[in-house]
């Protein structure tokens, strides 16, 4: 485990409050909506393309997703950014969450260009999001919250981006 992964696991544990599963105690829905709108606008500018956005996801700890269309990327594969309602956590995926074993796998398969990934990552960091690797989110959840019974093998993904 890298130092960055260790730091992110500490952050995930700090954000994990068993009494607040769908969103954190002091969740600012309006502020999150504005922040997400800025993210979508920045991605559209960065990729010179209209991005689709789903937001304010019901019964989920995920706030929304912004998708850069494949025809705007070097490799022709769309890029999806998932944003959690917790701590400005964000995830970058090629095509869709779970389509690859992470961005490294997508790059190795020639489906994600490093410059495109860096562009999305830079935008997220500049806007104050904390980017968490899909591989880390897919690790076993060991926090204090009781996740829904339909989740058979709980992961950190289920905790911070899943359906409740």
């Amino acid at each position: 485990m890298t130092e960055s992964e260790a730091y992110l696991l500490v952050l995930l544990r700090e954000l994990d409050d068993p009494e607040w599963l769908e969103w954190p105690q002091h969740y600012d829905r309006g502020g999150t909506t504005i922040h997400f709108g800025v993210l979508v606008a920045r991605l559209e500018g960065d990729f010179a393309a209209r991005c689709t956005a789903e937001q304010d996801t019901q019964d989920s700890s995920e706030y929304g997703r912004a998708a850069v269309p494949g025809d705007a990327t070097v490799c022709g594969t769309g890029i999806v950014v998932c944003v959690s309602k917790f701590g400005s956590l964000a995830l970058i995926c090629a095509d869709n969450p779970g389509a690859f074993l992470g961005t490294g796998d997508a790059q190795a398969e020639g489906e994600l260009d490093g410059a495109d990934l860096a562009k999305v990552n830079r935008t997220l960091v500049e806007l104050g999001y904390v980017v968490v690797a899909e591989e880390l989110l897919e690790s076993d959840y060991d926090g204090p919250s009781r996740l829904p019974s339909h989740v058979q093998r709980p992961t950190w993904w289920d905790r911070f981006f899943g359906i409740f």
Side-chain angles (χ1 to χ4, degrees), residues 5-163:
E5 289 172 330
Y7 162 77
L8 289 171
L9 274 174
V10 167
L11 176 62
L12 293 176
R13 287 186 177 100
E14 286 175 359
L15 293 171
D16 189 8
D17 182 343
E19 294 190 33
W20 298 91
L21 292 179
E22 192 174 337
W23 54 74
Q25 182 175 10
H26 301 290
Y27 179 59
D28 178 4
R29 185 177 184 184
T32 301
T33 299
I34 292 168
H35 199 215
F36 186 76
V38 172
L39 169 63
V40 173
R42 283 281 304 271
L43 291 172
E44 289 179 338
D46 290 347
F47 286 91
R50 181 109 174 117
C51 295
T52 59
E54 301 170 20
Q55 63 188 47
D56 208 11
T57 308
Q58 295 294 312
D59 301 322
S60 175
S61 52
E62 178 179 277
Y63 173 76
R65 295 180 182 192
V68 177
D71 59 7
T73 67
V74 171
C75 296
T77 302
I79 299 172
V80 175
V81 176
C82 303
V83 173
S84 176
K85 293 174 183 170
F86 285 83
S88 296
L89 298 176
L91 167 67
I92 304 170
C93 306
D95 192 32
N96 250 322
F100 296 91
L101 299 176
T103 55
D105 186 49
Q107 285 181 292
E109 292 188 30
E111 297 294 327
L112 179 62
D113 178 68
D116 283 346
L117 175 59
K119 195 183 307 186
V120 174
N121 193 62
R122 181 177 53 253
T123 296
L124 287 166
V125 170
E126 287 175 1
L127 292 175
Y129 287 95
V130 176
V131 180
V132 183
E134 190 168 10
E135 300 90 334
L136 182 60
L137 289 171
E138 284 300 324
S139 63
D140 290 338
Y141 173 75
D142 61 359
S145 298
R146 291 184 47 114
L147 299 183
S149 60
H150 70 271
V151 178
Q152 295 189 7
R153 186 195 131 242
T155 64
W156 287 99
W157 163 269
D158 295 308
R159 175 62 186 94
F160 290 112
F161 293 87
I163 301 291

